Tab-separated table of all heavy atoms in Angstrom:
chain	number	residue	atom	x	y	z
U	1	GLU	N	-4.632	-10.108	-16.324
U	1	GLU	CA	-5.419	-9.083	-15.639
U	1	GLU	C	-4.624	-7.782	-15.632
U	1	GLU	O	-3.427	-7.789	-15.360
U	1	GLU	CB	-5.721	-9.493	-14.192
U	1	GLU	CG	-6.412	-10.824	-14.038
U	1	GLU	CD	-7.932	-10.769	-14.185
U	1	GLU	OE1	-8.507	-9.670	-14.112
U	1	GLU	OE2	-8.527	-11.828	-14.375
U	2	THR	N	-5.284	-6.680	-15.942
U	2	THR	CA	-4.632	-5.375	-15.918
U	2	THR	C	-5.426	-4.449	-15.001
U	2	THR	O	-6.606	-4.194	-15.236
U	2	THR	CB	-4.571	-4.762	-17.331
U	2	THR	OG1	-3.885	-5.663	-18.191
U	2	THR	CG2	-3.843	-3.425	-17.303
U	3	LEU	N	-4.783	-3.975	-13.973
U	3	LEU	CA	-5.424	-3.080	-13.004
U	3	LEU	C	-5.085	-1.630	-13.292
U	3	LEU	O	-3.970	-1.320	-13.694
U	3	LEU	CB	-4.915	-3.392	-11.598
U	3	LEU	CG	-5.395	-4.691	-10.979
U	3	LEU	CD1	-4.470	-5.096	-9.854
U	3	LEU	CD2	-6.804	-4.523	-10.476
U	4	TYR	N	-6.045	-0.745	-13.042
U	4	TYR	CA	-5.713	0.665	-12.965
U	4	TYR	C	-6.245	1.280	-11.672
U	4	TYR	O	-5.914	2.400	-11.336
U	4	TYR	CB	-6.139	1.452	-14.212
U	4	TYR	CG	-7.594	1.396	-14.583
U	4	TYR	CD1	-8.512	2.247	-13.984
U	4	TYR	CD2	-8.044	0.527	-15.560
U	4	TYR	CE1	-9.838	2.213	-14.342
U	4	TYR	CE2	-9.368	0.496	-15.933
U	4	TYR	CZ	-10.270	1.338	-15.321
U	4	TYR	OH	-11.585	1.300	-15.684
U	5	TRP	N	-7.048	0.526	-10.930
U	5	TRP	CA	-7.474	0.983	-9.611
U	5	TRP	C	-7.743	-0.247	-8.755
U	5	TRP	O	-8.436	-1.164	-9.187
U	5	TRP	CB	-8.744	1.816	-9.696
U	5	TRP	CG	-8.884	2.781	-8.555
U	5	TRP	CD1	-8.895	2.489	-7.228
U	5	TRP	CD2	-9.008	4.196	-8.647
U	5	TRP	NE1	-9.018	3.630	-6.481
U	5	TRP	CE2	-9.097	4.698	-7.332
U	5	TRP	CE3	-9.056	5.082	-9.694
U	5	TRP	CZ2	-9.229	6.038	-7.051
U	5	TRP	CZ3	-9.196	6.422	-9.406
U	5	TRP	CH2	-9.278	6.892	-8.102
U	6	LEU	N	-7.185	-0.264	-7.547
U	6	LEU	CA	-7.416	-1.371	-6.629
U	6	LEU	C	-7.315	-0.863	-5.197
U	6	LEU	O	-6.356	-0.190	-4.836
U	6	LEU	CB	-6.359	-2.475	-6.843
U	6	LEU	CG	-6.481	-3.700	-5.941
U	6	LEU	CD1	-7.744	-4.491	-6.279
U	6	LEU	CD2	-5.247	-4.588	-6.068
U	7	ASP	N	-8.336	-1.172	-4.406
U	7	ASP	CA	-8.324	-0.875	-2.970
U	7	ASP	C	-8.631	-2.172	-2.226
U	7	ASP	O	-9.714	-2.734	-2.385
U	7	ASP	CB	-9.380	0.172	-2.597
U	7	ASP	CG	-9.052	1.552	-3.111
U	7	ASP	OD1	-7.859	1.904	-3.153
U	7	ASP	OD2	-9.990	2.291	-3.465
U	8	VAL	N	-7.659	-2.632	-1.431
U	8	VAL	CA	-7.799	-3.872	-0.675
U	8	VAL	C	-7.536	-3.596	0.794
U	8	VAL	O	-6.603	-2.862	1.145
U	8	VAL	CB	-6.789	-4.945	-1.175
U	8	VAL	CG1	-6.890	-6.208	-0.331
U	8	VAL	CG2	-7.010	-5.249	-2.638
U	9	GLU	N	-8.356	-4.174	1.658
U	9	GLU	CA	-8.184	-4.047	3.106
U	9	GLU	C	-7.994	-5.443	3.692
U	9	GLU	O	-8.717	-6.372	3.346
U	9	GLU	CB	-9.414	-3.400	3.729
U	9	GLU	CG	-9.355	-3.324	5.239
U	9	GLU	CD	-10.657	-2.808	5.832
U	9	GLU	OE1	-11.735	-3.148	5.317
U	9	GLU	OE2	-10.574	-2.073	6.824
U	10	PHE	N	-6.993	-5.572	4.562
U	10	PHE	CA	-6.751	-6.824	5.260
U	10	PHE	C	-7.041	-6.650	6.743
U	10	PHE	O	-6.627	-5.666	7.347
U	10	PHE	CB	-5.293	-7.265	5.126
U	10	PHE	CG	-4.912	-7.659	3.734
U	10	PHE	CD1	-3.906	-6.988	3.080
U	10	PHE	CD2	-5.541	-8.702	3.093
U	10	PHE	CE1	-3.530	-7.348	1.799
U	10	PHE	CE2	-5.183	-9.074	1.810
U	10	PHE	CZ	-4.170	-8.396	1.161
U	11	GLU	N	-7.737	-7.619	7.319
U	11	GLU	CA	-7.848	-7.728	8.762
U	11	GLU	C	-6.826	-8.778	9.169
U	11	GLU	O	-6.849	-9.906	8.674
U	11	GLU	CB	-9.260	-8.141	9.169
U	11	GLU	CG	-10.283	-7.056	8.898
U	11	GLU	CD	-11.689	-7.438	9.320
U	11	GLU	OE1	-11.888	-8.510	9.927
U	11	GLU	OE2	-12.594	-6.654	9.031
U	12	LEU	N	-5.921	-8.398	10.067
U	12	LEU	CA	-4.785	-9.240	10.421
U	12	LEU	C	-5.002	-9.964	11.741
U	12	LEU	O	-5.802	-9.530	12.578
U	12	LEU	CB	-3.516	-8.391	10.488
U	12	LEU	CG	-3.230	-7.566	9.226
U	12	LEU	CD1	-2.072	-6.623	9.456
U	12	LEU	CD2	-2.974	-8.470	8.037
U	13	SER	N	-4.278	-11.049	11.933
U	13	SER	CA	-4.430	-11.866	13.135
U	13	SER	C	-4.020	-11.125	14.407
U	13	SER	O	-4.422	-11.514	15.495
U	13	SER	CB	-3.630	-13.160	13.007
U	13	SER	OG	-2.258	-12.886	12.833
U	14	ASN	N	-3.251	-10.053	14.279
U	14	ASN	CA	-2.863	-9.276	15.458
U	14	ASN	C	-3.893	-8.204	15.801
U	14	ASN	O	-3.654	-7.358	16.650
U	14	ASN	CB	-1.478	-8.649	15.266
U	14	ASN	CG	-1.430	-7.674	14.109
U	14	ASN	OD1	-2.437	-7.379	13.465
U	14	ASN	ND2	-0.248	-7.170	13.817
U	15	GLY	N	-5.062	-8.217	15.122
U	15	GLY	CA	-6.140	-7.274	15.400
U	15	GLY	C	-6.044	-5.980	14.619
U	15	GLY	O	-6.940	-5.144	14.690
U	16	LYS	N	-4.978	-5.782	13.876
U	16	LYS	CA	-4.793	-4.557	13.102
U	16	LYS	C	-5.393	-4.705	11.713
U	16	LYS	O	-5.726	-5.800	11.274
U	16	LYS	CB	-3.307	-4.217	12.992
U	16	LYS	CG	-2.661	-3.893	14.317
U	16	LYS	CD	-1.206	-3.531	14.138
U	16	LYS	CE	-0.558	-3.196	15.474
U	16	LYS	NZ	0.826	-2.769	15.290
U	17	LYS	N	-5.505	-3.569	11.042
U	17	LYS	CA	-5.943	-3.534	9.650
U	17	LYS	C	-4.855	-2.889	8.816
U	17	LYS	O	-4.083	-2.075	9.301
U	17	LYS	CB	-7.235	-2.741	9.498
U	17	LYS	CG	-8.424	-3.419	10.126
U	17	LYS	CD	-9.694	-2.655	9.856
U	17	LYS	CE	-10.860	-3.386	10.486
U	17	LYS	NZ	-12.129	-2.728	10.179
U	18	MET	N	-4.810	-3.271	7.571
U	18	MET	CA	-3.856	-2.707	6.633
U	18	MET	C	-4.554	-2.606	5.289
U	18	MET	O	-5.317	-3.499	4.914
U	18	MET	CB	-2.641	-3.613	6.506
U	18	MET	CG	-1.615	-3.091	5.526
U	18	MET	SD	-0.486	-4.365	4.938
U	18	MET	CE	-1.497	-5.142	3.709
U	19	SER	N	-4.321	-1.520	4.578
U	19	SER	CA	-4.866	-1.358	3.235
U	19	SER	C	-3.720	-1.110	2.272
U	19	SER	O	-2.686	-0.565	2.639
U	19	SER	CB	-5.820	-0.161	3.180
U	19	SER	OG	-6.902	-0.351	4.042
U	20	PHE	N	-3.940	-1.528	1.045
U	20	PHE	CA	-2.966	-1.228	0.011
U	20	PHE	C	-3.695	-1.227	-1.317
U	20	PHE	O	-4.830	-1.674	-1.435
U	20	PHE	CB	-1.816	-2.237	0.020
U	20	PHE	CG	-2.039	-3.408	-0.876
U	20	PHE	CD1	-1.389	-3.489	-2.104
U	20	PHE	CD2	-2.920	-4.411	-0.524
U	20	PHE	CE1	-1.609	-4.562	-2.940
U	20	PHE	CE2	-3.135	-5.487	-1.349
U	20	PHE	CZ	-2.480	-5.558	-2.564
U	21	GLY	N	-3.033	-0.668	-2.319
U	21	GLY	CA	-3.648	-0.707	-3.632
U	21	GLY	C	-2.938	0.148	-4.649
U	21	GLY	O	-1.796	0.577	-4.463
U	22	LEU	N	-3.666	0.372	-5.719
U	22	LEU	CA	-3.210	1.186	-6.840
U	22	LEU	C	-4.225	2.293	-7.029
U	22	LEU	O	-5.422	2.031	-7.137
U	22	LEU	CB	-3.106	0.329	-8.108
U	22	LEU	CG	-2.689	1.038	-9.392
U	22	LEU	CD1	-1.280	1.613	-9.258
U	22	LEU	CD2	-2.765	0.068	-10.566
U	23	HIS	N	-3.752	3.519	-7.047
U	23	HIS	CA	-4.630	4.680	-7.143
U	23	HIS	C	-4.629	5.233	-8.570
U	23	HIS	O	-3.667	5.876	-8.997
U	23	HIS	CB	-4.176	5.761	-6.153
U	23	HIS	CG	-5.055	6.962	-6.131
U	23	HIS	ND1	-6.218	6.995	-5.416
U	23	HIS	CD2	-4.938	8.152	-6.751
U	23	HIS	CE1	-6.782	8.176	-5.589
U	23	HIS	NE2	-6.028	8.888	-6.400
U	24	ASP	N	-5.677	4.939	-9.310
U	24	ASP	CA	-5.930	5.514	-10.636
U	24	ASP	C	-4.695	5.482	-11.551
U	24	ASP	O	-4.393	6.471	-12.212
U	24	ASP	CB	-6.452	6.938	-10.472
U	24	ASP	CG	-7.113	7.458	-11.737
U	24	ASP	OD1	-7.505	6.637	-12.582
U	24	ASP	OD2	-7.227	8.681	-11.882
U	25	SER	N	-3.993	4.372	-11.563
U	25	SER	CA	-2.787	4.182	-12.389
U	25	SER	C	-1.696	5.219	-12.143
U	25	SER	O	-0.810	5.408	-12.969
U	25	SER	CB	-3.142	4.190	-13.887
U	25	SER	OG	-3.951	3.101	-14.218
U	26	SER	N	-1.748	5.892	-10.995
U	26	SER	CA	-0.753	6.935	-10.740
U	26	SER	C	0.279	6.541	-9.697
U	26	SER	O	1.436	6.932	-9.792
U	26	SER	CB	-1.433	8.237	-10.319
U	26	SER	OG	-2.113	8.058	-9.094
U	27	SER	N	-0.117	5.785	-8.689
U	27	SER	CA	0.825	5.344	-7.670
U	27	SER	C	0.208	4.240	-6.821
U	27	SER	O	-1.011	4.125	-6.722
U	27	SER	CB	1.275	6.505	-6.784
U	27	SER	OG	0.185	7.059	-6.112
U	28	MET	N	1.080	3.455	-6.209
U	28	MET	CA	0.644	2.446	-5.247
U	28	MET	C	0.559	3.126	-3.886
U	28	MET	O	1.135	4.189	-3.670
U	28	MET	CB	1.669	1.317	-5.156
U	28	MET	CG	1.891	0.553	-6.436
U	28	MET	SD	3.087	-0.800	-6.254
U	28	MET	CE	4.615	0.099	-5.981
U	29	TYR	N	-0.165	2.493	-2.975
U	29	TYR	CA	-0.194	3.015	-1.618
U	29	TYR	C	-0.293	1.881	-0.616
U	29	TYR	O	-0.715	0.777	-0.932
U	29	TYR	CB	-1.354	3.998	-1.417
U	29	TYR	CG	-2.701	3.331	-1.315
U	29	TYR	CD1	-3.184	2.904	-0.091
U	29	TYR	CD2	-3.473	3.106	-2.440
U	29	TYR	CE1	-4.408	2.269	0.010
U	29	TYR	CE2	-4.694	2.473	-2.358
U	29	TYR	CZ	-5.152	2.055	-1.125
U	29	TYR	OH	-6.364	1.418	-1.030
U	30	VAL	N	0.135	2.191	0.594
U	30	VAL	CA	-0.031	1.304	1.743
U	30	VAL	C	-0.517	2.183	2.875
U	30	VAL	O	0.004	3.285	3.082
U	30	VAL	CB	1.311	0.662	2.174
U	30	VAL	CG1	1.111	-0.209	3.399
U	30	VAL	CG2	1.931	-0.108	1.048
U	31	GLU	N	-1.511	1.700	3.612
U	31	GLU	CA	-1.985	2.430	4.781
U	31	GLU	C	-2.004	1.466	5.954
U	31	GLU	O	-2.643	0.417	5.891
U	31	GLU	CB	-3.385	2.997	4.534
U	31	GLU	CG	-3.867	3.891	5.655
U	31	GLU	CD	-5.151	4.598	5.288
U	31	GLU	OE1	-6.217	3.984	5.396
U	31	GLU	OE2	-5.076	5.770	4.879
U	32	CYS	N	-1.259	1.813	6.997
U	32	CYS	CA	-1.192	0.946	8.171
U	32	CYS	C	-0.749	1.752	9.384
U	32	CYS	O	-0.321	2.893	9.265
U	32	CYS	CB	-0.263	-0.238	7.935
U	32	CYS	SG	1.448	0.185	7.672
U	33	SER	N	-0.857	1.119	10.544
U	33	SER	CA	-0.481	1.795	11.786
U	33	SER	C	0.997	1.605	12.112
U	33	SER	O	1.537	2.320	12.942
U	33	SER	CB	-1.345	1.296	12.943
U	33	SER	OG	-1.228	-0.096	13.074
U	34	ASP	N	1.658	0.645	11.468
U	34	ASP	CA	3.075	0.401	11.725
U	34	ASP	C	3.942	1.367	10.917
U	34	ASP	O	3.560	1.796	9.832
U	34	ASP	CB	3.457	-1.031	11.337
U	34	ASP	CG	2.774	-2.055	12.223
U	34	ASP	OD1	2.732	-1.849	13.442
U	34	ASP	OD2	2.278	-3.057	11.674
U	35	ASP	N	5.106	1.694	11.456
U	35	ASP	CA	6.051	2.551	10.737
U	35	ASP	C	6.866	1.674	9.794
U	35	ASP	O	7.755	0.944	10.222
U	35	ASP	CB	6.965	3.272	11.720
U	35	ASP	CG	7.920	4.228	11.019
U	35	ASP	OD1	7.840	4.367	9.780
U	35	ASP	OD2	8.754	4.825	11.708
U	36	ILE	N	6.532	1.742	8.515
U	36	ILE	CA	7.214	0.906	7.527
U	36	ILE	C	8.020	1.745	6.530
U	36	ILE	O	8.433	1.253	5.494
U	36	ILE	CB	6.216	0.000	6.783
U	36	ILE	CG1	5.179	0.829	6.027
U	36	ILE	CG2	5.562	-0.983	7.723
U	36	ILE	CD1	4.333	0.007	5.085
U	37	ARG	N	8.267	2.983	6.864
U	37	ARG	CA	8.969	3.873	5.930
U	37	ARG	C	10.334	3.317	5.518
U	37	ARG	O	10.673	3.304	4.333
U	37	ARG	CB	9.127	5.270	6.559
U	37	ARG	CG	9.857	6.278	5.686
U	37	ARG	CD	9.076	6.540	4.402
U	37	ARG	NE	9.799	7.310	3.432
U	37	ARG	CZ	9.604	8.599	3.195
U	37	ARG	NH1	8.728	9.278	3.885
U	37	ARG	NH2	10.292	9.212	2.270
U	38	ASP	N	11.123	2.862	6.479
U	38	ASP	CA	12.455	2.331	6.142
U	38	ASP	C	12.352	1.122	5.220
U	38	ASP	O	13.126	0.993	4.270
U	38	ASP	CB	13.227	1.962	7.410
U	38	ASP	CG	13.672	3.178	8.194
U	38	ASP	OD1	13.680	4.290	7.624
U	38	ASP	OD2	14.007	3.023	9.384
U	39	LEU	N	11.413	0.257	5.495
U	39	LEU	CA	11.208	-0.924	4.660
U	39	LEU	C	10.878	-0.522	3.223
U	39	LEU	O	11.442	-1.052	2.265
U	39	LEU	CB	10.073	-1.764	5.239
U	39	LEU	CG	9.699	-3.026	4.497
U	39	LEU	CD1	10.770	-4.082	4.679
U	39	LEU	CD2	8.359	-3.545	4.991
U	40	LEU	N	9.973	0.429	3.067
U	40	LEU	CA	9.589	0.882	1.735
U	40	LEU	C	10.735	1.614	1.040
U	40	LEU	O	10.956	1.434	-0.159
U	40	LEU	CB	8.351	1.783	1.814
U	40	LEU	CG	7.074	1.094	2.297
U	40	LEU	CD1	5.969	2.124	2.497
U	40	LEU	CD2	6.632	-0.004	1.344
U	41	ASP	N	11.464	2.445	1.782
U	41	ASP	CA	12.601	3.167	1.202
U	41	ASP	C	13.696	2.224	0.710
U	41	ASP	O	14.395	2.535	-0.252
U	41	ASP	CB	13.199	4.153	2.217
U	41	ASP	CG	12.365	5.418	2.353
U	41	ASP	OD1	11.560	5.712	1.450
U	41	ASP	OD2	12.527	6.112	3.373
U	42	ASN	N	13.847	1.072	1.369
U	42	ASN	CA	14.851	0.101	0.940
U	42	ASN	C	14.459	-0.634	-0.337
U	42	ASN	O	15.315	-1.135	-1.049
U	42	ASN	CB	15.128	-0.922	2.048
U	42	ASN	CG	15.928	-0.320	3.185
U	42	ASN	OD1	16.700	0.612	2.991
U	42	ASN	ND2	15.728	-0.842	4.374
U	43	LYS	N	13.159	-0.697	-0.621
U	43	LYS	CA	12.671	-1.429	-1.788
U	43	LYS	C	12.345	-0.507	-2.969
U	43	LYS	O	12.510	-0.881	-4.126
U	43	LYS	CB	11.414	-2.224	-1.388
U	43	LYS	CG	10.758	-2.983	-2.490
U	43	LYS	CD	11.540	-4.221	-2.834
U	43	LYS	CE	10.803	-5.035	-3.890
U	43	LYS	NZ	11.580	-6.134	-4.379
U	44	PHE	N	11.856	0.700	-2.667
U	44	PHE	CA	11.388	1.615	-3.701
U	44	PHE	C	12.130	2.939	-3.630
U	44	PHE	O	12.645	3.315	-2.579
U	44	PHE	CB	9.879	1.859	-3.541
U	44	PHE	CG	9.066	0.603	-3.597
U	44	PHE	CD1	8.582	0.012	-2.441
U	44	PHE	CD2	8.791	-0.013	-4.804
U	44	PHE	CE1	7.839	-1.159	-2.484
U	44	PHE	CE2	8.049	-1.184	-4.866
U	44	PHE	CZ	7.574	-1.756	-3.699
U	45	GLU	N	12.157	3.645	-4.742
U	45	GLU	CA	12.890	4.923	-4.804
U	45	GLU	C	12.034	6.144	-4.493
U	45	GLU	O	12.520	7.117	-3.961
U	45	GLU	CB	13.508	5.089	-6.190
U	45	GLU	CG	14.603	4.094	-6.481
U	45	GLU	CD	15.207	4.292	-7.847
U	45	GLU	OE1	15.088	5.396	-8.417
U	45	GLU	OE2	15.812	3.345	-8.361
U	46	ASP	N	10.745	6.101	-4.833
U	46	ASP	CA	9.881	7.286	-4.712
U	46	ASP	C	8.751	7.010	-3.729
U	46	ASP	O	7.662	6.581	-4.119
U	46	ASP	CB	9.341	7.669	-6.087
U	46	ASP	CG	8.632	9.014	-6.092
U	46	ASP	OD1	8.592	9.670	-5.035
U	46	ASP	OD2	8.104	9.390	-7.157
U	47	VAL	N	8.997	7.255	-2.433
U	47	VAL	CA	8.022	7.007	-1.374
U	47	VAL	C	7.723	8.333	-0.670
U	47	VAL	O	8.627	9.050	-0.272
U	47	VAL	CB	8.565	6.004	-0.342
U	47	VAL	CG1	7.540	5.768	0.776
U	47	VAL	CG2	8.938	4.687	-1.011
U	48	LYS	N	6.435	8.625	-0.543
U	48	LYS	CA	5.993	9.833	0.179
U	48	LYS	C	5.032	9.407	1.287
U	48	LYS	O	4.369	8.383	1.183
U	48	LYS	CB	5.308	10.803	-0.778
U	48	LYS	CG	6.242	11.357	-1.827
U	48	LYS	CD	5.516	12.348	-2.723
U	48	LYS	CE	6.449	12.967	-3.725
U	48	LYS	NZ	6.748	12.135	-4.874
């Protein structure tokens, strides 16, 4: 399977929602209410 666009939304057991995906083969994204910047910075080099 080869993706160039993906939008996925999760409903979590703690009542929150989180989305992630691939935007038009240009970058991945995560959208959530938790502050995960440090986690992402430790794994990836280019996070905005």
Side-chain angles (χ1 to χ4, degrees):
E1 304 276 344
T2 303
L3 288 160
Y4 57 84
W5 206 303
L6 180 68
D7 290 325
V8 177
E9 176 186 37
F10 292 120
E11 291 181 6
L12 306 172
S13 60
N14 62 4
K16 295 182 180 183
K17 291 185 179 184
M18 179 200 80
S19 299
F20 91 103
L22 178 63
H23 183 82
D24 197 20
S25 295
S26 64
S27 61
M28 298 181 292
Y29 75 88
V30 178
E31 186 171 81
C32 64
S33 57
D34 294 316
D35 183 3
I36 61 170
R37 179 63 190 258
D38 289 343
L39 179 72
L40 295 173
D41 282 341
N42 287 332
K43 178 75 176 173
F44 302 102
E45 293 181 21
D46 190 2
V47 179
K48 295 182 177 79

